[in-house]
Amino acid sequence: MLIKDIDDLVAGDVFIVQGQSNAAAVMYNGSSGAYQNDYLRVYSGGYTGSSSTLSDNNWYYAQGDGNENSGGNAGQWGLALAKMIKDQLNIPVAIFNGAHGGQPIEFFQRPSDYTTSTDSNYGRLFYRLQKTGLKEKVRGLLWSQGEANAGATNNLSIEQYKTYFENLMMFWQEDYPNIEHYYLFQTRECNCGTNSSGRLLVKEAQRLLAVENNNVSIMPTTGMTLHSDYCHYPFVDGYEKFALRIFPQVMKDIYGLTLQESIYAPMITDISLSENILEIQTDSESLVSNNSNTSALINSLNNDFVFSDSSISIVNYQLDSSKLILTLNQNPSNNTSLSFIGLSSNLEDNITNGSGIELVSFSDLCISGNCDGSSGQNSGDDNKKPGVVYVENGNNDTQAGRMYRAGVGIDFATRSYNGNSNDRFGNIGDWSVDLVISE
């Protein structure tokens, strides 16, 4: 007697896509439909609510042009990456996209009830992977998030952002123990409700996560065309490029297959100054200039490299293998720092590696003096003694007498860093002390 008839069954590899709207990667301009394939699957969807998650028990052929609340949505670059893996290795791929647009990194943390409740983003993704029996089959996780932590109202310090992400990695490794590698798409210079100081902090935190963790790689998004909202991306030269750039890394890190040289973005490894000559050492095998018009490229370099001493400008450059050598108009003053922000998506405006991948952005690296003065960043709560701590303003002074109860690091029973409001607490009033905790 026939008990059950199952057809269209595949077996393959599992990847998670997570973050905010550029991980959801909905269609803004141009379709990803050409990448759809019967061997690419999505279970349920990355719904933003509990009821939709629980009511959708379907496996779908993956699609990329929907949104968080459409069943089977892998996101445009999630779909494209899955198709590239399938075409290269003849392995079916399941994508679990849990992205939620406009959310800070705090939103994605693991709550205490995640195994029994789908009220949280973390709980909904866990539910889908547990329901399918695939939570121990996840091979890699790809992350695109940061804009929501780079605005005037929810800035995190470098250490705070790093701590949140490292906590997530710890949780993910516990719940999806066979993850082999994490991939970060570095936040781009953009609008998205951000400001320049916030972007500097988030981008430097993301860079340091890749520097300090062997299982984390980073990919800049400067060399990609932005959508007209100056926040998201079209498919061609945008979300498709997310997949095209990260695919060779996934092949090497996860599958041990080298498809091309120069697959990793150039990262700064050292910086030195001798009078007005600044040498930036990278880990690239060879840096490349993509513009024969020297003056035009120097103009682009002056837009991309931002000195804390605004009187400094770049008057010439030289490439020496993996080193970028900048000639400055004058000797920098004492305590001068340098940031690389990455503005232009045009290849000819960027110094790249041999594969056309531009430098990973960095922030406020000291090139003269010790640069130990106030940077306008709030001290991380981990640098304060546990107990009642104070809310800081941009000068590291107490803000209007506000104080609150903080744990050791982030214990999820108190306010967010620097007394910020979250889903359990509102804003602290001036000249008040808040000792409330919430389990």
Side-chain angles (χ1 to χ4, degrees):
M1 180 176 65
L2 178 66
I3 303 298
K4 194 168 188 179
D5 184 10
I6 300 175
D7 58 12
D8 209 11
L9 188 66
V10 298
D13 285 345
V14 180
F15 289 86
I16 292 173
V17 173
Q18 186 59 295
Q20 51 184 109
S21 58
N22 281 320
V26 307
M27 182 173 65
Y28 287 91
N29 184 7
S31 173
S32 62
Y35 283 90
Q36 288 185 267
N37 186 273
D38 289 356
Y39 291 94
L40 312 179
R41 305 296 175 90
V42 170
Y43 173 72
S44 186
Y47 299 110
T48 58
S50 175
S51 59
S52 297
T53 303
L54 295 174
S55 64
D56 189 349
N57 190 34
N58 299 305
W59 276 100
Y60 297 87
Y61 295 122
Q63 50 91 6
D65 294 346
N67 57 44
E68 296 102 313
N69 289 303
S70 56
N73 191 53
Q76 288 199 321
W77 61 259
L79 175 69
L81 175 62
K83 178 64 158 51
M84 293 172 192
I85 295 172
K86 179 266 171 191
D87 286 350
Q88 182 67 42
L89 302 173
N90 287 320
I91 295 176
V93 175
I95 296 290
F96 284 76
N97 192 321
H100 191 143
Q103 297 299 332
I105 194 170
E106 301 96 308
F107 175 83
F108 299 97
Q109 301 299 306
R110 187 178 78 178
S112 59
D113 64 352
Y114 77 100
T115 61
T116 58
S117 172
T118 53
D119 288 337
S120 66
N121 175 276
Y122 195 102
R124 289 189 291 277
L125 180 62
F126 179 84
Y127 169 84
R128 293 165 63 202
L129 283 154
Q130 184 178 51
K131 183 76 178 289
T132 54
L134 294 174
K135 67 186 186 71
E136 295 181 351
K137 306 299 181 182
V138 181
R139 301 202 65 178
L141 187 146
L142 302 102
W143 174 262
S144 178
Q145 190 279 336
E147 296 89 349
N149 290 111
T153 58
N154 198 35
N155 270 359
L156 295 179
S157 74
I158 292 169
E159 288 303 317
Q160 289 165 359
Y161 190 93
K162 284 171 56 185
T163 298
Y164 273 121
F165 190 81
E166 287 168 348
N167 281 344
L168 273 174
M169 285 199 296
M170 178 180 66
F171 299 148
W172 288 327
Q173 213 65 55
E174 290 176 0
D175 293 322
Y176 317 121
N178 292 309
I179 289 180
E180 299 173 48
H181 210 84
Y182 298 90
Y183 300 90
L184 305 184
F185 289 97
Q186 191 174 36
T187 301
R188 198 196 194 287
E189 285 294 291
C190 59
N191 285 338
C192 299
T194 69
N195 59 32
S196 58
S197 60
R199 293 192 298 270
L200 286 172
L201 297 176
V202 166
K203 288 194 283 188
E204 180 65 5
Q206 292 166 341
R207 182 186 75 87
L208 290 175
L209 283 165
V211 169
E212 297 169 4
N213 295 276
N214 292 331
N215 61 342
V216 176
S217 296
I218 188 168
M219 183 60 70
T221 54
T222 299
M224 305 181 188
T225 300
L226 280 167
H227 180 58
S228 58
D229 64 4
Y230 204 61
C231 179
H232 303 99
Y233 299 84
F235 183 62
V236 175
D237 203 44
Y239 288 136
E240 185 179 35
K241 205 167 188 177
F242 275 59
L244 289 167
R245 283 187 164 191
I246 214 68
F247 168 65
Q249 291 190 17
V250 172
M251 285 297 98
K252 183 175 181 179
D253 299 331
I254 305 295
Y255 299 101
L257 182 62
T258 300
L259 300 181
Q260 66 186 59
E261 299 299 323
S262 303
I263 64 175
Y264 298 102
M267 292 256 281
I268 184 172
T269 58
D270 194 21
I271 190 166
S272 62
L273 177 71
S274 177
E275 296 183 342
N276 71 324
I277 303 299
L278 182 66
E279 295 189 356
I280 299 172
Q281 180 67 54
T282 74
D283 60 2
S284 176
E285 293 180 3
S286 180
L287 295 176
V288 177
S289 168
N290 302 284
N291 196 335
S292 59
N293 187 332
T294 301
S295 61
L297 183 54
I298 290 174
N299 183 62
S300 296
L301 293 175
N302 275 303
N303 290 329
D304 278 336
F305 287 92
V306 179
F307 295 88
S308 60
D309 180 350
S310 60
S311 66
I312 297 174
S313 63
I314 299 167
V315 296
N316 207 349
Y317 80 96
Q318 177 185 349
L319 298 178
D320 182 7
S321 186
S322 60
K323 188 181 298 183
L324 172 61
I325 303 170
L326 302 176
T327 302
L328 310 179
N329 66 323
Q330 64 188 43
N331 294 354
S333 59
N334 199 30
N335 302 333
T336 296
S337 62
L338 172 67
S339 300
F340 175 76
I341 60 174
L343 283 175
S344 177
S345 62
N346 297 326
L347 181 67
E348 62 268 21
D349 292 334
N350 286 286
I351 301 294
T352 70
N353 64 12
S355 296
I357 302 175
E358 67 278 1
L359 296 170
V360 173
S361 293
F362 57 83
S363 306
D364 292 324
L365 299 189
C366 191
I367 63 172
S368 176
N370 58 34
C371 305
D372 285 337
S374 173
S375 63
Q377 301 175 21
N378 292 325
S379 299
D381 287 353
D382 285 337
N383 296 323
K384 305 169 186 173
K385 294 181 179 179
V388 179
V389 296
Y390 55 87
V391 177
E392 300 171 34
N393 59 23
N395 296 318
N396 293 335
D397 297 323
T398 304
Q399 175 66 40
R402 301 176 190 173
M403 302 181 73
Y404 67 102
R405 179 265 180 194
V408 179
I410 310 169
D411 62 8
F412 306 106
T414 183
R415 295 178 171 276
S416 298
Y417 276 124
N418 204 40
N420 288 334
S421 61
N422 53 33
D423 59 0
R424 298 174 298 282
F425 296 90
N427 293 318
I428 303 176
D430 290 351
W431 309 107
S432 62
V433 179
D434 183 1
L435 301 179
V436 176
I437 63 173
S438 172
E439 289 295 336

